[in-house]
Amino acid sequence: MRIGLIGQGALLGLCCLAASNSYASLPDTRTPINDVPEGTVGLGAALRRGTSPYVGVDNISGLLNDNKTDLIPLYLYEGKWLFAHGTSAGAHLLKQEWLSVDLLAKYRFNRLESDAAPYFNGVRDRDQTVDVGLSATVFTDWGSLSTTWVNDVLGAHNGHEWDFTYSYDWTPGRWSVSPFISYVYQHSDLTDYYYGVDPSEALPERPFYQPDSAVFWRAGINTSYRATPHLLLFSNIASQHVDSEIFNSPLVDESQLTSATFGFAYLFGNALDDSTKRPDSGRFGEWSWRLNAGYQAEGPFTRTLTGTLKRSEDVHAYMTGLTLGKLISDGEYIDYWGRVSLNRRLENGNQSDFGEYNAYVMAMTTGRSPWTSEEWLRFGIGFGFSYASEVPYVEQVKQAKREQNTSHFLNYLEGQFDVPLRLMFENKAVRNCYVGISLLHRSGIFAKSDILSNVSGGSDMVSGHIECKR
């Protein structure tokens, strides 16, 4: 049986498309999606917690998040060639019943902040990064064997890691249980970056140290429960031995690392396979395009959504955009759309204009006449992620006032309200077109998410749009 795995710079945005690796790249933890068809789209959330290897550091989420747990928003997609498995994403190079080979990018949560404890004064920060490489898995009746090789691509540790994992998948009823064991090799450049002590950092109580490559074992168990045909609950628990090359570092005081991840995933449907749609709806293959333009709003999103469309008091800026959508599931009361928007942020001289890229799922409901069932209006709420090639100037201003950080990659919310143009015009060319207002919001989820750089705040846009379905 096969367990499908559902997934900063633009590469970070791709990589953050379910909880994959936990703290310190610990386990082979997975968001378990069993035998999903190609084109499946889902969303969810997970909480992770674990042990830090560093002296006196308890909070795996960093200094800007005082919580003992870290929230990870889950953006999920399993396609014929592309996939998004949460903190990992990539492309299928080969997919067969007994063998898969993937090009893989995954987020590495390893990090040390020099202000984490007085002991680290004078130590440079060790940053999180993205590793890219190849993964191959052989599926058999007695389990699966996989190997993954990844190398840093953002210039943080500049090393590589090689992972060999055996797992056995057991599916009693609605449950899926997958114990695993891994053998891991980490190159000396990787271990030296995260656990070495440079001469400039050395003190009598923190002597110079340069570790060699490290090898170690990790083991754990991934479990899931299919509560409904669309809703999955999961938990992942793992433990890892700390190699002596790492444990002997003056920066480290833990010989064993543990991690746990708990979450849920909701699968909306299939954007590629029309068989998931109602056979009598006549909406097979339906897609849409939308053009919109608008201005920087004061926000917050909830206030804007209820009709307060005030311009921003901090920054006057504008945007234009194109959105493409594909019907995922046409329900009796709610439709789900998979959407990608390409926006141009017009910064009005505050900084250079730049691109913003959003991917999200939109839940859309329709209001109809009680007498004729004619469509009168539509209302939708979207949820996904946003990557801006430059941090919007309004976010820089707001976060500077709060003395907090910013991020190119944030969570994304959208509200949409529109009416059919056929209510105003009889021209057949606009019979499937709508005009209305769309509200666009970038958010850090109240500084609860490490993968969103623990940002508290965001920005809002109010735009008018015209959208047509085909």
Side-chain angles (χ1 to χ4, degrees), residues 109-138:
F109 282 98
N110 298 54
R111 176 180 56 194
L112 173 62
E113 296 169 299
S114 59
D115 295 333
Y119 178 78
F120 297 110
N121 289 341
V123 173
R124 74 183 190 282
D125 289 348
R126 272 63 164 177
D127 298 325
Q128 298 168 340
T129 188
V130 170
D131 296 332
V132 171
L134 293 171
S135 178
T137 303
V138 176

Side-chain angles (χ1 to χ4, degrees), residues 140-401:
T140 71
D141 292 337
W142 42 266
S144 61
L145 287 170
S146 65
T147 180
T148 301
W149 179 91
V150 291
N151 192 82
D152 178 26
V153 294
L154 297 185
H157 60 77
N158 292 313
H160 63 265
E161 178 180 87
W162 206 314
D163 177 302
F164 300 87
T165 296
Y166 168 76
S167 65
Y168 183 81
D169 301 328
W170 179 47
T171 55
R174 294 187 177 186
W175 286 93
S176 174
V177 181
S178 179
F180 68 88
I181 186 169
S182 301
Y183 181 75
V184 182
Y185 166 87
Q186 292 183 340
H187 186 262
S188 58
D189 286 346
L190 189 157
T191 59
D192 185 44
Y193 176 77
Y194 286 111
Y195 310 112
V197 179
D198 291 343
S200 61
E201 301 171 323
L203 296 173
E205 67 275 14
R206 191 177 63 214
F208 167 78
Y209 184 72
Q210 187 174 18
D212 202 347
S213 58
V215 293
F216 49 85
W217 292 92
R218 66 169 66 123
I221 186 169
N222 301 312
T223 62
S224 72
Y225 177 73
R226 187 176 287 273
T228 73
H230 294 280
L231 179 63
L232 290 171
L233 308 177
F234 68 90
S235 66
N236 309 310
I237 300 172
S239 181
Q240 171 182 303
H241 166 68
V242 177
D243 183 88
S244 60
E245 288 291 329
I246 295 174
F247 182 67
N248 290 336
S249 167
L251 306 180
V252 174
D253 66 352
E254 293 286 347
S255 61
Q256 197 77 18
L257 302 180
T258 59
S259 72
T261 306
F262 306 92
F264 74 93
Y266 188 88
L267 308 183
F268 295 96
N270 194 315
L272 300 181
D273 184 358
D274 288 335
S275 66
T276 63
K277 300 176 175 61
R278 291 186 297 168
D280 59 347
S281 70
R283 303 181 65 187
F284 293 162
E286 189 169 291
W287 65 281
S288 68
W289 59 265
R290 185 184 73 184
L291 296 175
N292 58 323
Y295 59 86
Q296 195 75 59
E298 181 63 22
F301 180 73
T302 52
R303 188 182 304 166
T304 307
L305 193 63
T306 55
T308 302
L309 307 180
K310 183 180 179 182
R311 285 181 178 272
S312 172
E313 297 176 353
D314 297 302
V315 174
H316 285 179
Y318 307 91
M319 62 78 63
T320 60
L322 168 66
T323 302
L324 299 178
K326 183 73 168 63
L327 183 64
I328 299 173
S329 176
D330 56 335
E332 184 175 358
Y333 302 105
I334 299 177
D335 294 337
Y336 292 102
W337 290 78
R339 290 187 165 189
V340 176
S341 64
L342 311 175
N343 299 333
R344 186 68 177 173
R345 289 276 193 150
L346 309 175
E347 295 289 74
N348 198 24
N350 295 302
Q351 65 176 359
S352 298
D353 300 340
F354 60 89
E356 177 188 79
Y357 314 97
N358 309 307
Y360 58 103
V361 173
M362 170 72 77
M364 183 78 72
T365 187
T366 299
R368 297 183 179 274
S369 165
W371 302 283
T372 65
S373 294
E374 181 183 18
E375 186 181 41
W376 276 2
L377 57 86
R378 300 189 311 170
F379 177 73
I381 291 290
F383 180 90
F385 68 89
S386 172
Y387 177 79
S389 57
E390 299 290 340
V391 176
Y393 188 70
V394 66
E395 296 177 16
Q396 298 179 38
V397 171
K398 287 183 176 181
Q399 296 303 89
K401 289 181 179 180

Side-chain angles (χ1 to χ4, degrees), residues 406-464:
T406 60
S407 176
H408 294 264
F409 180 82
L410 289 178
N411 202 56
Y412 182 76
L413 289 172
E414 181 179 300
Q416 177 171 328
F417 176 84
D418 53 31
V419 296
L421 278 175
R422 63 176 173 270
L423 297 179
M424 311 170 201
F425 307 98
E426 296 183 358
N427 193 317
K428 292 184 178 180
V430 298
R431 67 180 182 274
N432 290 322
C433 295
Y434 303 80
V435 62
I437 295 175
S438 46
L439 314 174
L440 323 178
H441 176 70
R442 282 167 46 87
S443 168
I445 316 184
F446 310 107
K448 301 297 184 183
S449 179
D450 193 35
I451 208 166
L452 301 180
S453 300
N454 292 304
V455 169
S456 177
S459 62
D460 296 83
M461 282 282 181
V462 172
S463 72

